[in-house]
Amino acid sequence: MGKGGEHGGPDVPDEVWERFLRTSADGTADAPKEPSARAREVAARLRAEPAEPPAWRAHPPVRRRRSKGWYVAGFVAALALLVVAVDPGGFVGWSSGDDDAAARPLAQETERPSQAPPEEPGGRATLAEPFRGSPAVRWADGTAGITVPAARATGWMTKEEVARALARTRDFLAAASLDPAVLRGGHPDKAVALINPHQPDMRSFVSTALRTPGEEHDPLSLFSRFDPAQARLVGDVVKSRGRLTYREGERGALEVTADVTYVYPVAPAGGGDEVVRVIVRRATVVSWDDPAKVMTEKGTLTLLSYRAETTNGGCDNLTGYLRPEFGGGGTDAVRSDRTVDPFDRTRPMTDDHDGCWNATRS
């Protein structure tokens, strides 16, 4: 796989990057606290009616320097969505209230699974049990669900250097998909700071995506963010499941691939007890380059490729935020009778998915 961007391309002054960070930062509005009459009516109807199946959407993947397309699969929610925030430095757990062995966390994922997780006992998500009825109820919390393999000397790096690079890669994933401030619509400063500053094409993409998101510049391809005026975080846990793998890449670099699925429980910003789950699966490939061969900065990674599939995040959504639909459905119509299981991690994330599909569960 070719590296994105031109290693050793024109340097961008630090003051330019710092000015970008300031000008592209997003403000967050305070959400109303009390549920509206409409919210109470919808919540009552949801308890009485069966949910419609979620819908799924995909776009072409992003491969820097080779393609300008995107791979964002958006699922229109029919179930309730709960946005959660976690501390990327050390995530606290959430007790599901179920002491049965079946509800205890699964062992870490160390290789691609051979089958999708079984169906969980029925029941809707609630404010007290946001992962109820979902396979994610058995997943670990936050970064604990991301398996980091044992380090060995690879390419230009020693065993100890590989261990540090793997830890920093997980830090990047946490900053992009688990940071509480970013989940609430904030600017992903910590994640951006970990990207090699000698990548002017990446800087341009991130700046444009956060300032004026669109089909060619969608920040959701890299970052998980919710509009606090539309959805509120419920609880303090994101469930995750996935793993890192690595190999020697070009010019002796350490090439790390991350394949992780995140489950975010959220509720309407206006209040009420409706809860739905947003599911985001991300495949990200990064390179830790030898500074003797590639223009880079210590402690930063080079992004090679990244793609995302999203359940309950909005099918035709180009707002720059994950936008779950509340009230048992949304305005996006399902474009296909094909189905996909967002919890099925047996399949690789490939380029052959497009359009809106039905998701079998959330």
Side-chain angles (χ1 to χ4, degrees), residues 73-317:
F75 292 84
V76 181
L79 301 179
L81 174 73
L82 161 69
V83 180
V84 289
V86 290
D87 176 4
F91 303 97
V92 297
W94 185 318
S95 172
S96 67
D98 187 350
D99 294 329
D100 294 338
R104 293 173 186 168
L106 297 173
Q108 283 194 318
E109 181 180 289
T110 57
E111 59 185 18
R112 187 178 300 283
S114 59
Q115 59 185 12
E119 295 289 338
E120 291 295 320
R124 287 188 180 277
T126 66
L127 293 174
E129 297 181 274
F131 301 103
R132 179 180 165 194
S134 167
V137 74
R138 299 190 61 200
W139 291 8
D141 301 347
T143 55
I146 305 173
T147 305
V148 177
R152 65 180 184 278
T154 303
W156 74 282
M157 286 187 165
T158 66
K159 175 181 177 180
E160 291 72 22
E161 289 170 331
V162 169
R164 284 195 293 271
L166 293 174
R168 294 285 278 178
T169 301
R170 189 170 66 171
D171 289 344
F172 173 76
L173 301 179
S177 299
L178 296 170
D179 187 307
V182 178
L183 290 178
R184 292 187 173 95
H187 191 280
D189 293 332
K190 295 177 183 177
V192 170
L194 288 170
I195 299 174
N196 179 4
H198 302 286
Q199 289 186 272
D201 52 343
M202 276 306 305
R203 293 185 176 191
S204 175
F205 164 75
V206 172
S207 175
T208 302
L210 292 170
R211 185 178 63 251
T212 54
E215 185 174 358
E216 296 295 318
H217 295 84
D218 188 351
L220 297 179
S221 62
L222 273 174
F223 312 115
S224 292
R225 306 164 75 229
F226 294 89
D227 182 352
Q230 194 259 346
R232 76 181 193 271
L233 304 180
V234 179
D236 57 357
V237 166
V238 171
K239 293 289 187 178
S240 70
R241 188 157 183 82
R243 66 196 183 283
L244 304 183
T245 57
Y246 65 93
R247 66 178 185 178
E248 182 176 346
E250 294 183 3
R251 304 179 186 176
L254 177 71
E255 184 177 300
V256 183
T257 298
D259 182 348
V260 183
T261 302
Y262 307 90
V263 182
Y264 306 94
V266 299
D273 59 2
E274 181 184 1
V275 177
V276 297
R277 290 180 288 259
V278 169
I279 306 164
V280 179
R281 183 180 177 186
R282 298 189 186 280
T284 309
V285 183
V286 306
S287 178
W288 293 90
D289 297 313
D290 183 349
K293 299 177 179 179
V294 174
M295 186 175 291
T296 186
E297 295 294 333
K298 183 178 180 180
T300 67
L301 54 84
T302 297
L303 278 164
L304 302 184
S305 67
Y306 41 95
R307 68 182 74 198
E309 298 175 350
T310 305
T311 310
N312 292 343
C315 191
D316 292 321
N317 174 25

Side-chain angles (χ1 to χ4, degrees), residues 303-355:
L303 278 164
L304 302 184
S305 67
Y306 41 95
R307 68 182 74 198
E309 298 175 350
T310 305
T311 310
N312 292 343
C315 191
D316 292 321
N317 174 25
L318 296 175
T319 66
Y321 297 103
L322 295 164
R323 292 188 65 83
E325 295 288 350
F326 299 105
T331 59
D332 293 324
V334 178
R335 275 90 164 151
S336 172
D337 57 2
R338 294 176 294 182
T339 61
V340 63
D341 180 357
F343 291 100
D344 182 3
R345 293 183 47 77
T346 64
R347 63 176 180 85
M349 294 176 67
T350 59
D351 301 358
D352 59 354
H353 294 91
D354 193 13

